[in-house]
Amino acid sequence: MTRTEAEPSGPAAAARPTAPRIACRGLTRRHKSGSGYLEVLRDVELRVERGSFVAIVGPSGSGKSTLLALLAGLDRADGGEVLYDGESLAGLDEDGLARWRRGRVGFVFQSFQLFGHLTARENVLLPLEIGGIEGARGRAERLLAEVGLGDRGHHYPSQLSGGEQQRVALARAFAGAPELLLADEPTGNLDAANGRMVLELFERLRRELGTTVVLVTHDPGIADLADARVYLEAGRVVRVDRGGPAT
């Protein structure tokens, strides 16, 4: 579940078995705009428990994708901090953040982000080989089979439909059995039927691996599947709903 209350940070928090997977404290991000600054996020407080599925929702421009980038360590906050298992990401340099992401974080993007010069199999295999995962080729084959593409591994992205490309991206994201998976509108470029298929696969793989998921979406039907929904408006968390469809 997700809530907006604070948690202690530092070594003591890291040792606590109840430390959330992610905690945000006073998270603020601003961009230069003309002679001043535009605040994209303002004093965001957020807690994401281990193994939970959290949807971030809100109108365009509310800061959803910026928040996701901060959670991934792909962007730096101007104020506040992101804690992972009780430890702040602020102390990691770019190389440290890259190592942290490689060992713990998976991504699914709206635009698939597949490598066009690699086959479906090679796209899934790449992060496994980079991570030095034993039995990488067999795992890549199994994941492609799990997403219904066992016979399409030799095809390049340009030879696959949008739904098939997103399923390859899903297999790649789960390839390293990530502790945390971040998804930015993963069904936004798909029709309803392919969107449902991807979400069903997404949820099954999440349950099997116990992965914590934070997903950005505009679709209330997708948000209703989450354990908690975090509503952003003008860069602030205005509401958190837990359990069951939104009312």
Side-chain angles (χ1 to χ4, degrees):
M1 302 293 182
T2 302
R3 59 183 179 179
T4 56
E5 59 194 57
E7 279 285 309
S9 60
R16 291 181 55 191
T18 55
R21 180 63 76 198
I22 298 172
C24 300
R25 310 193 187 287
L27 202 59
T28 297
R29 184 70 173 103
R30 60 180 68 93
H31 297 307
K32 190 168 180 59
S33 177
S35 59
Y37 288 89
L38 173 67
E39 275 197 324
V40 182
L41 292 174
R42 291 182 285 172
D43 297 321
V44 169
E45 300 280 334
L46 182 65
R47 174 173 171 139
V48 177
E49 300 294 354
R50 298 162 189 255
S52 64
F53 174 15
V54 173
I56 301 173
V57 297
S60 296
S62 59
K64 300 187 300 299
S65 293
T66 298
L67 177 55
L68 208 66
L70 289 169
L71 297 183
L74 295 170
D75 194 9
R76 294 281 188 177
D78 295 296
E81 60 182 345
V82 176
L83 295 96
Y84 187 88
D85 289 350
E87 290 287 349
S88 177
L89 299 184
L92 298 178
D93 61 16
E94 293 306 315
D95 288 340
L97 285 169
R99 286 192 297 271
W100 168 74
R101 284 191 296 268
R102 185 165 62 242
R104 294 183 171 91
V105 184
F107 300 90
V108 182
F109 301 96
Q110 179 177 348
S111 56
F112 317 138
Q113 300 276 343
L114 299 178
F115 292 102
H117 65 288
L118 299 180
T119 64
R121 182 182 299 108
E122 290 166 343
N123 267 282
V124 178
L125 188 59
L126 182 63
L128 294 171
E129 291 184 331
I130 290 174
I133 304 298
E134 188 174 347
R137 182 165 293 275
R139 179 162 178 78
E141 295 283 3
R142 287 193 299 275
L143 278 164
L144 281 173
E146 285 188 39
V147 299
L149 295 173
D151 60 346
R152 302 280 275 166
H154 61 289
H155 287 80
Y156 290 90
S158 62
Q159 298 172 307
L160 302 173
S161 69
E164 289 171 331
Q165 289 184 62
Q166 191 60 296
R167 282 187 275 159
V168 173
L170 195 63
R172 182 183 62 185
F174 279 103
E179 298 171 343
L180 172 66
L181 191 140
L182 302 170
D184 195 354
E185 296 281 3
T187 63
N189 282 333
L190 304 179
D191 60 33
N194 276 304
R196 282 194 301 272
M197 182 185 298
V198 165
L199 282 174
E200 288 168 2
L201 291 167
F202 188 99
E203 183 62 10
R204 179 169 62 79
L205 290 170
R206 181 186 79 85
R207 287 197 306 269
E208 289 173 358
L209 295 174
T211 303
T212 303
V213 171
V214 181
L215 178 148
V216 165
T217 184
H218 283 95
D219 188 333
I222 295 174
D224 282 348
L225 300 174
D227 301 319
R229 291 163 296 282
V230 178
Y231 293 86
L232 289 183
E233 286 184 13
R236 290 184 180 274
V237 175
V238 295
R239 193 171 102 226
V240 177
D241 288 343
R242 302 178 186 87
T247 56

